Amino acid sequence: MAATRQINVTLPTDLADLLEQKVRSGGYASANDVVVEGVRALLEQEDSLERWLREEVVPGYEAYRSDPDNIIPADQVLARIKARRDAGTAGR
């Protein structure tokens, strides 16, 4: 079993009510379980964001920096998206 440490947390009333409802509904055995899952979900979200930044944003930025003339301006991208959308809805 993982080592644990007790801490005291103060929540806004609406979040405390939600936490208690999660336990009352039987979805969780205790308030502790709700908080643990919430912290784990936060860590997963942060990891996912970090991975996206590292794997997609940074390489895209580096590609732009190495050859700025090879980038499609945002207004052209948006125009292409709108044209595809319009073409897809034209036959409806």
Side-chain angles (χ1 to χ4, degrees), residues 37-92:
E37 186 165 320
V39 171
R40 286 185 178 142
L42 177 61
L43 292 173
E44 287 177 22
Q45 180 182 18
E46 289 175 349
D47 287 347
S48 177
L49 176 60
E50 183 68 30
R51 191 170 32 263
W52 173 72
L53 288 169
R54 186 177 53 254
E55 295 174 3
E56 296 184 37
V57 174
V58 171
Y61 177 72
E62 289 172 351
Y64 164 75
R65 296 267 301 176
S66 69
D67 188 7
D69 294 331
N70 195 26
I71 300 301
I72 302 169
D75 58 339
Q76 289 180 21
V77 172
L78 185 56
R80 288 179 187 180
I81 292 170
K82 287 179 179 179
R84 285 182 185 163
R85 180 201 59 207
D86 294 345
T89 59
R92 291 183 188 172

Side-chain angles (χ1 to χ4, degrees), residues 21-42:
Q21 176 57 37
K22 294 284 185 185
V23 175
R24 276 195 306 272
S25 72
Y28 296 87
S30 67
N32 180 70
D33 291 346
V34 177
V35 173
V36 167
E37 186 165 320
V39 171
R40 286 185 178 142
L42 177 61

